Amino acid sequence: MKKPSAKIRDEIAKLQEQLKIAEAREAERIGRIALRAGLGEIEIDEAELQAAFEQLTKRFRGGQGATTGGKKGAGDSSGQASTTADASGAGAGSAGEA
């Protein structure tokens, strides 16, 4: 038995709304943690901050966050931003472990 396309569209719309709510909840949680850690007071380019977060994500997913490596096609940021973020990410990691 196949579903009519209108029902599938309704389900997709509901799932998109659920995704939007879940992403907002996750963003608020991460934002609160970042502010408590003092990230709100740091002046850093958004691309550099994103690169640092990506390195942190790799670290906690069991990847190679501590090594130098490229980003996974997440935009058109320059190599300089990645290098700077790697350096700041390494410092942040050691500060958190102290």
Side-chain angles (χ1 to χ4, degrees), residues 1 4 9 14-15 22 26 31 36 40 49-50 53 60 64 74 77 90 92-93:
M1 208 158 111
R9 277 192 216 95
K14 288 177 186 176
L15 289 172
E26 291 166 357
R36 279 186 280 188
L49 184 58
Q50 181 175 347
F53 279 141
F60 283 99
Q64 301 174 355
S77 62

Side-chain angles (χ1 to χ4, degrees), residues 22-73:
E23 287 177 339
R25 188 173 49 242
E26 291 166 357
E28 289 173 7
R29 175 181 167 259
I30 292 168
R32 282 191 305 270
I33 294 168
L35 289 174
R36 279 186 280 188
L39 283 178
E41 300 168 11
I42 296 174
E43 290 190 30
I44 184 170
D45 180 60
E46 199 167 308
E48 292 179 45
L49 184 58
Q50 181 175 347
F53 279 141
E54 288 171 356
Q55 290 297 316
L56 185 65
T57 300
K58 287 179 187 178
R59 176 180 166 200
F60 283 99
R61 284 188 177 159
Q64 301 174 355
T67 63
T68 56
K71 290 176 16 178
K72 287 182 167 180

